[in-house]
Amino acid sequence: MAVPLLDLKQQNLALHGELTAAFDRVLRSGQYILGSEMDAFERAVAPLAGAPFALGISSGTDALLLALMTLGIGPGDEVLVPSFTFFATGGCVSRVGATPVFADACPICFNLDVADAERRISSRTKAVIPVHLFGQAADMDSVMGLAKKHGLAVIEDGAQALGAEYRGKKVGAFGDFATYSFFPSKNLGALGDAGLLVARDEALAEKARLLRTHGAKPKYYHHLVGANFRMDPLQAAFLAVKLPHYETYTRCRQANAADYTARLKGLEGVVVASPADCGCRGGAKAATARLVLPVAYPHVTHIWNQYTLRVPGQGRRDALREHLSLRGIGSEIYYPVPLHAQPCFAAGRVDRGPWPVSDQLASEVISLPIFPELTEAQREEVVSAISEFLASGR
Ligand SMILES: *Cc1c(COP(=O)(O)O)cnc(C)c1O
C-alpha cells in the first residue's frame, strides 16, 4: 500500500461545498484586496495565534520580514536564529541587511539551544528568533530570560506551531511578534501562499499594518518604506472555512503520533527521546540507539506538524529513506543542510561555530507521514516497513 507524505486534496475536498461557497462569496463581493473577509479571519485566528493583534500576510516568510522591518532591524545588526530550521528564518534576517547568527539545536526537542545562543551574543545583537520546530514550543522561559538580560527583541517563528502551547499559554503570546504560515502543508493550510503576523502591542501592530501596505496612510502618503505584504481575501475566506476544523486536525495528528510511538517503541534498538536529556540549556548527551522517536514534553502541547525520527549511524538514515521509498512510503528530510552550512550565508558571515548538534541532526533526521487523514492501515504499513528495515540488520 502506498502511503504519501501528504494528502492535501483529501482534506480540502472534504470541504468542497463550503470552499466553493467562500470562493463564490468573494467573487461576488468585488472586494479582492483586504476588506471584511480579511478582518473576519484575523479576528477569528488571533486567539489561536496567542496575541490580540493579527495581520493577514502574503506568506510566513513575509511575516518574518515584516516583523524585522517593523522592529527597525537592518545593516550592522545581528539576529540570533537556530541553524536547524527552515531557510526563511535566517534568510529574512539577511534580506533586511542584518546578519543572522546561527545557534545550535537541542537533539531532543530540535529547538534552539538557548545556552549556545547566549554564547554568540555581541554588542550588535538586536533580536532572537526562536522557532517552534515541528509543532513543539521552544524553551520560552529561557528565551525570554535571555532577551530580558540582553535587551533583545523576540520574534517567535510559529510557522509549524499554530495553537501549540507552552506551560498552558499559546505560542505567540511571548514575543514582540509571532509569525505563522498557511503554506498548504502547514497544520492550517491555505489553497496557496498565506501567512500571519501577530503582536501583543497595539502600537507595534499598527506600525506593521502600515508597512504591510507600503507605509502609506492615507493611500499615496508614505511615512515609511514598506512593501506589499497582504494576504488575499480569497485565502482568508478559505482559511475561515478550515479554521473550525483545526482542533480536529490537531487531535488527529496527535493520535497519529501517539500511535506511531506506541507501535515503534517496542522494536529492537528503538528508544523514545527523553525530556530529561533536553539540551536547550546546554549539555546534551549523545544517543546510542538505532532509532530515536520524537517526544512531546509534558509542559507543552505538541501539534505535530512533523513526526521526526533520528536514525544514528553513517548512511543509515538515507538507507531507511530508500527502503521506505521502495515500499511506496513518502518521507522527507527536514532539513538536510543546516543554515550555517548554506552557501548563500558564506559571504559576510560572523562565524562563531561549531554547530555539532545541527550537523548531526541534518544527517540523522527523517520525517514520516503524519497528516490528519492518515488511516490506521497506512500507519501500520509505515511501522511494518520500519520494522522490516531494523530486522534486516540495517
Ligand atoms: C514554512 C515555514 C516558514 C515560511 O513560511 P512560508 O509561508 O512558506 O513563506 C518559515 N519558518 C518556518 C519554520 C517554516 O516552517
Side-chain angles (χ1 to χ4, degrees):
M1 183 205 316
V3 185
L5 178 69
L6 285 166
D7 186 352
L8 303 174
K9 243 182 3 198
Q10 197 184 339
Q11 182 171 94
N12 292 329
L13 284 176
L15 299 168
H16 186 273
E18 286 175 78
L19 290 169
T20 308
F23 170 78
D24 201 55
R25 201 170 62 235
V26 173
L27 174 65
R28 290 174 193 282
S29 78
Q31 173 96 46
Y32 306 135
I33 301 291
L34 299 175
S36 59
E37 295 283 348
M38 278 284 291
D39 295 345
F41 175 67
E42 288 174 346
R43 268 198 309 277
V45 78
L48 197 62
F53 304 103
L55 299 178
I57 304 294
S58 31
S59 71
T61 302
D62 283 349
L64 281 167
L65 201 54
L66 180 55
L68 289 161
M69 287 169 67
T70 307
L71 292 167
I73 289 168
D77 296 335
E78 292 178 5
V79 178
L80 296 165
V81 300
S83 182
F84 189 66
T85 178
F86 177 62
F87 176 75
T89 318
C92 290
V93 174
S94 292
R95 280 278 310 278
V96 297
T99 305
V101 173
F102 303 112
D104 213 1
C106 165
I108 306 302
C109 69
F110 306 114
N111 282 317
L112 184 71
D113 176 340
V114 183
D116 185 67
E118 183 162 24
R119 287 192 283 276
R120 298 169 195 264
I121 283 183
S122 81
S123 59
R124 292 176 296 280
T125 310
K126 292 287 155 46
V128 56
I129 309 183
V131 180
H132 307 302
L133 203 67
F134 303 151
Q136 174 151 254
D139 182 3
M140 290 313 291
D141 283 347
S142 302
V143 170
M144 296 315 289
L146 177 82
K148 191 158 181 228
K149 183 170 160 194
H150 298 276
L152 309 178
V154 177
I155 302 168
E156 297 178 63
D157 183 343
Q160 302 180 8
L162 178 71
E165 290 178 355
Y166 178 82
R167 300 200 191 282
K169 273 165 78 173
K170 297 275 183 237
V171 304
F174 299 87
D176 299 283
F177 284 113
T179 63
Y180 296 95
S181 167
F182 305 119
F183 185 79
S185 67
K186 301 293 159 82
N187 286 26
L188 183 63
L191 308 189
D193 277 311
L196 192 80
L197 178 72
V198 302
R200 289 179 296 134
D201 179 76
E202 188 164 14
L204 267 187
E206 276 317 300
K207 187 176 177 191
R209 187 185 302 279
L210 209 59
L211 288 168
R212 179 174 68 168
T213 303
H214 293 296
K217 192 180 185 175
K219 226 173 177 176
Y220 310 125
Y221 291 81
H222 301 267
H223 306 274
L224 298 164
V225 178
N228 174 359
F229 292 126
R230 296 178 299 253
M231 183 199 285
D232 289 345
L234 191 55
Q235 295 302 340
F238 292 150
L239 287 165
V241 167
K242 298 186 73 176
L243 189 60
H245 301 277
Y246 191 64
E247 232 181 276
T248 307
Y249 299 157
T250 299
R251 270 203 302 274
C252 291
R253 285 176 180 274
Q254 289 165 337
N256 289 341
D259 188 51
Y260 272 144
T261 299
R263 290 170 192 256
L264 288 167
K265 76 178 179 192
L267 301 176
E268 181 76 28
V270 176
V271 302
V272 185
S274 166
D277 296 335
C278 185
C280 286
R281 301 170 198 215
K285 293 178 217 145
T288 51
R290 297 175 67 211
L291 207 74
V292 184
L293 308 181
V295 65
Y297 287 179
H299 63 278
V300 307
T301 306
H302 198 322
I303 64 155
W304 299 100
N305 178 245
Q306 299 300 337
Y307 187 91
T308 303
L309 309 173
R310 288 173 49 202
V311 193
Q314 182 79 38
R316 288 188 61 243
R317 185 271 311 275
D318 295 334
L320 173 60
R321 186 158 196 227
E322 174 71 14
H323 175 77
L324 294 175
S325 162
L326 288 173
R327 284 191 52 163
I329 297 168
S331 65
E332 189 51 273
I333 310 303
Y334 303 113
Y335 297 93
V337 182
L339 298 192
H340 71 260
Q342 296 288 355
C344 66
F345 294 125
R349 69 187 307 153
V350 188
D351 201 322
R352 301 193 198 115
W355 301 266
V357 177
S358 300
D359 288 328
Q360 184 190 348
L361 290 177
S363 72
E364 291 182 357
V365 291
I366 181 169
S367 298
L368 303 179
I370 184 82
F371 60 91
E373 297 78 14
L374 199 68
T375 64
E376 175 163 12
Q378 288 176 312
R379 291 191 301 270
E380 179 76 52
E381 177 75 8
V382 174
V383 170
S384 118
I386 292 174
S387 168
E388 190 181 82
F389 175 81
L390 292 171
S392 73
R394 284 176 289 177

